[in-house]
């Protein structure tokens, strides 16, 4: 899956494009983990261009969240559409992540 | 109605998703409905890969998509060990982030997103039917 990566001050914004499913989630997750381990532990994941997230996709988000917690960094999600939000609700993930409406708010919160 | 037979490998799942995408586009099915069926299909194919086989041989999974009476359905058949995903225990959804495991979540998604899920053991094959009613 294509991933757009941008930097805003000390915060890195990662924007996955397309579907986060059993095929794409692992390479995406590996990339995010690598990024975190290389020192970018203030992270915004912008889900605005994601079509859907399967359990494999949530697994990669959980792994990123746990790692950032351990490193005492900050992970914020943004751009969650109504359809994707429903998936967070079904999996009871809403309370496990900081979710902001916009990318700017996300960057502010992750700083 | 489109059908596809895929090998039991991760990259083959993309082909199945492609067939569903094309079928849904031809039938003008709403993207959010297609997304839900795509998720359910992905979860089921992952479950088959994880639980159906105790050997390393290549196995075939057959998938057929149908539109009958305002209902989008996928019929998924494999020749693996008897496995009824509807009998898997519900995941623990209350645990905090550090303790969360994602086991069982896939089937939870299937149950929540689909309107009907039917499991049958037919001879030596597992058959799972998932159905999503389309909004009028």
């Amino acid at each position: 899956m294509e991933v757009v990566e941008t930097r805003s001050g000390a915060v890195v914004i990662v924007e996955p494009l397309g579907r986060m499913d059993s095929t794409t989630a692992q390479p995406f997750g590996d990339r995010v983990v690598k990024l975190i381990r290389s020192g970018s532990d203030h992270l915004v994941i912008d889900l605005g261009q994601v079509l859907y997230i399967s359990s494999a996709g949530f697994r990669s988000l959980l792994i990123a969240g746990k790692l950032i917690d351990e490193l005492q960094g900050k992970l914020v999600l943004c751009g969650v559409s109504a359809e994707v939000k429903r998936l967070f609700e079904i999996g009871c993930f809403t309370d496990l992540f900081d979710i902001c409406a916009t990318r700017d708010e996300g960057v502010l919160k992750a700083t | 109605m489109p059908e596809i037979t895929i090998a039991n490998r991760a990259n083959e799942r993309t082909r199945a998703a492609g067939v569903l995408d094309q079928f849904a586009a031809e039938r003008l099915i709403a993207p959010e409905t297609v997304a839900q069926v795509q998720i359910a299909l992905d979860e089921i194919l992952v479950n088959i890969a994880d639980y159906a086989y105790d050997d390393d041989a290549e196995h075939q999974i057959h998938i057929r998509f149908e539109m009958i009476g305002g209902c989008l359905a996928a019929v998924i058949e494999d020749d693996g060990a008897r496995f009824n995903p509807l009998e898997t225990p519900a995941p623990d959804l209350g645990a905090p982030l550090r303790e969360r495991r994602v086991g069982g979540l896939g089937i939870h998604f299937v149950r929540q997103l689909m309107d009907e899920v039917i499991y049958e053991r037919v001879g030596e094959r597992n058959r799972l039917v998932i159905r999503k009613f389309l909004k009028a």
Side-chain angles (χ1 to χ4, degrees):
Chain A
M1 104 187 288
E2 203 187 325
V3 179
V4 180
E5 210 177 290
T6 42
R7 197 168 276 274
S8 173
V11 178
V12 175
I13 302 136
V14 179
E15 186 180 20
L17 312 177
R19 29 191 113 209
M20 285 180 76
D21 61 15
S22 65
T23 314
T24 60
Q26 188 159 2
F28 170 74
D30 289 350
R31 179 171 173 163
V32 170
V33 164
K34 205 172 156 191
L35 193 66
I36 297 166
R37 291 216 180 276
S38 69
S40 301
D41 52 13
H42 287 72
L43 208 63
V44 172
I45 300 180
D46 185 339
L47 298 171
Q49 298 300 318
V50 163
L51 288 174
Y52 56 80
I53 306 176
S54 78
S55 66
F58 282 105
R59 181 179 290 117
S60 66
L61 294 176
L62 279 180
I63 290 169
K66 284 181 193 178
L67 181 59
I68 286 186
D69 265 9
E70 282 165 24
L71 297 169
Q72 297 183 316
K74 185 80 184 163
L75 173 66
V76 181
L77 309 181
C78 72
V80 181
S81 67
E83 288 81 22
V84 171
K85 183 157 184 280
R86 168 134 193 264
L87 302 172
F88 273 85
E89 286 164 358
I90 289 173
C92 294
F93 289 116
T94 315
D95 296 338
L96 298 187
F97 295 100
D98 271 320
I99 302 175
C100 287
T102 67
R103 185 186 282 211
D104 288 347
E105 284 172 53
V107 170
L108 212 60
K109 195 152 193 181
T111 301
Chain B
M1 301 294 179
E3 301 182 41
I4 183 171
T5 301
I6 62 168
N8 180 38
R9 285 196 304 269
N11 56 356
E12 289 273 282
R13 294 199 278 269
T14 311
R15 292 207 298 132
V19 171
L20 174 53
D21 271 344
Q22 196 189 338
F23 182 53
E26 287 164 6
R27 300 297 178 109
L28 305 175
I29 299 168
E32 54 269 29
T33 304
V34 183
Q36 292 175 349
V37 178
Q38 287 285 17
I39 293 170
L41 178 64
D42 191 58
E43 306 294 0
I44 290 162
L45 295 177
V46 168
N47 257 272
I48 292 172
D50 287 349
Y51 299 114
Y53 309 113
D54 54 9
D55 58 28
D56 293 327
E58 185 165 295
H59 291 269
Q60 306 286 312
I61 301 162
H62 185 259
I63 304 151
R64 185 173 78 246
F65 298 104
E66 300 173 341
M67 261 286 279
I68 300 170
C71 176
L72 173 62
V75 182
I76 301 134
E77 287 188 8
D78 67 82
D79 63 351
R82 182 193 166 82
F83 176 70
N84 180 355
L86 299 174
E87 289 168 357
T88 52
D92 175 13
L93 298 174
L97 179 58
R98 279 164 182 272
E99 288 150 37
R100 271 301 277 278
R101 295 178 188 282
V102 196
L105 186 68
I107 294 305
H108 176 68
F109 270 132
V110 174
R111 288 167 184 268
Q112 294 293 318
L113 294 173
M114 295 296 101
D115 293 312
E116 279 181 10
V117 184
I118 302 154
Y119 171 81
E120 285 178 298
R121 182 76 177 169
V122 184
E124 294 296 301
R125 300 173 72 79
N126 296 303
R127 178 190 291 158
L128 199 68
V129 183
I130 54 174
R131 293 203 180 105
K132 185 75 189 172
F133 299 114
L134 308 183
K135 288 172 206 150

